[in-house]
Amino acid sequence: MLLLNRAVVPGLRQACRLKSTPLRLCIQACSTDDSFRPHRPDSTFSGDSSSTGGWRVMGTLLGLGAVLAYHDHWCRAAQDSKPRIYTKEEVSSHKSQKTGIWVTLGSEVFDVTEFVDLHPGGPSKLMLAAGGPLEPFWSLYAFHNQPHVRELLAQYKIGELSPEESVPPTLEIADPFADDPVRHPALKVNSQRPFNAEPPPELLTENYITPNPIFFTRNHMPVPNVDPDTYCLHVVGPPGGQSLSLSLDDLYKFPKHEITVTLQCAGNRRSDMNKVKEVKGLEWRTGAISTARWAGARLCDVLVQAGYQLGETEAHVCFEGLDSDPTGTTYGASIPLARAMDPEAEVLLAYEMNGQPLPRDHGFPVRVVVPGVVGARNVKWLGKVSVEPEESYSHWQQRDYKGFSPSVDWDTVDFDSAPSIQELPVQSAITEPQDGDTIQSGEVTVKGYAWSGGGRAVIRVDVSLDGGLTWHTAELEGEKQPPRKAWAWRLWHLQAPVPAGQKELNIVCKAVDDSYNVQPDTVAPIWNLRGVLSNAWHRIRVHVTQ
Ligand code: MTE
């Protein structure tokens, strides 16, 4: 009924603008309005020509009921020519079915409560914008910005944003993070300062290539604002060799190399470890992982120009970022020289991400991309490269991003006893449905991602609907990747019948890589005090409606 009422509104408004309009006129206006296109994809409104007369009668009756019920209300509303004004705070308090679901576009406010279930991309996608602006989502999914979508949205308009609300907030000069870039509102923020955020699961596997604005972000310090015109990368040469000071233009002169690489933070899925026993670290869920097409100069080409030889092995390439804390300490990490000098390892000094200059959050203007290796070694805002006999002395190489036995605690941990994490173990996670969702009986579609470190290809993903008693094989999407160079994830899906009579499903996934490494079944035996390397079977529970 509400939908119908919305649909008749244009006609009613028109009629009510004429003061003391007879009710008859209102009905006429409604039933002849060409724009009356009910938006529920429901056979009741299909407009089948064989039964047009019957539908017309029913439509008129329904229209009459609607008009009687709402005539006064709409006439009053229509006579008040001023739009209702809302504050952003009011809008942001409307983000559930209980309160109503409001969104804004420009200065207009819309109540889309009735439309959420009809959203072609699924309710959860529209809910990401609930209580806030649609623009950031429309820029990500540009097909929305079309006349028919705007027309549809117009039916839900309830007012305007207060004009003062459009004044941008002022920056606090003393705040070291004040110059951080603006972020996409879809990101689930784990910490604001420094900024750490992950895309929500339903967006994470929407695309094989993660759009730049929702690529997970892991910052330890404020984002440096680097001037590309004066940017200079220092590459320390070998004894007797030459050091290089490379501008961006110098880097562009090296052969441009382009590869698709998945980056994953060592703390991805830390939240699962926290459930077993508290760990120290940000509460990453399944989204500290993303995939991009990176382009730049190969590190080995740059090192060769600085005088290093291909085939050199015994040393480490240390990277320093331009981001620093108040004491001037910069972010740093290292990888073995053997990997850096191996052309097949394809380590990049990347200046492009998905065909664009790197976004500021992801290392503008230059970052290291080390395929198959933990995110922490992919140093952003790269300032310096040097070859050293030891690993980087940075905190993040020596005192973090290492794995320990579950029996080690903060009183007994000896960071020198464990190697720094480089290649990551095999990983997978379910992104759809989500834990706690309700699904229909009949068939369930399960979606997710799988990836393994060191270029090991994912060869299979097993999915169970009964907690691991029985298994289905998921369909791997996309193409096979070259052996030993499977740098990017495989997305996967499974469509399977929901076992009859089940009220709840315990859905599990696990991936197998081409070394037949498989994820461990439970978290407890791999628990560690920093909550890194969390790759146990991913488990969710969903309710089934009959
Ligand atoms: N590089 C610098 N300079 N500073 C950082 O804080 N974080 C590291 C790595 N490189 C970091 C950095 C970590 S821990 C990860 S997981 C990745 O960047 C995250 O890269 P992203 O933010 O582009 O996703």
Side-chain angles (χ1 to χ4, degrees), residues 84-94 102 104 109 131 160-162 164-165:
R84 275 212 59 180
I85 301 296
Y86 298 102
T87 62
K88 280 186 184 162
E89 203 182 341
E90 274 175 287
V91 174
S92 73
S93 64
H94 289 84
W102 295 7
T104 62
V109 181
E160 297 272 339
L161 271 180
S162 111
E164 306 90 73
E165 296 268 325

Side-chain angles (χ1 to χ4, degrees), residues 204-210 260-264 289-292 426-431 446-453 455-463 474-483 485-494 509-514 519:
L204 181 59
T205 50
E206 183 87 341
N207 296 291
Y208 178 67
I209 298 291
T210 316
T260 305
V261 175
T262 295
L263 291 190
Q264 185 185 203
I289 184 167
S290 299
T291 298
V426 62
Q427 175 71 286
S428 72
I430 298 162
T431 54
V446 186
K447 289 184 183 177
Y449 64 76
W451 179 80
S452 190
R456 288 176 288 276
V458 167
I459 56 162
R460 206 181 72 227
V461 173
D462 300 322
V463 179
E475 194 166 319
L476 295 177
E477 297 169 10
E479 287 167 16
K480 261 189 166 172
Q481 300 172 58
K485 288 168 81 163
W487 307 134
W489 63 14
R490 295 295 291 272
L491 302 183
W492 54 265
H493 66 269
L494 171 83
C509 78
K510 64 177 166 82
V512 186
D513 72 18
D514 61 6
Q519 296 173 247

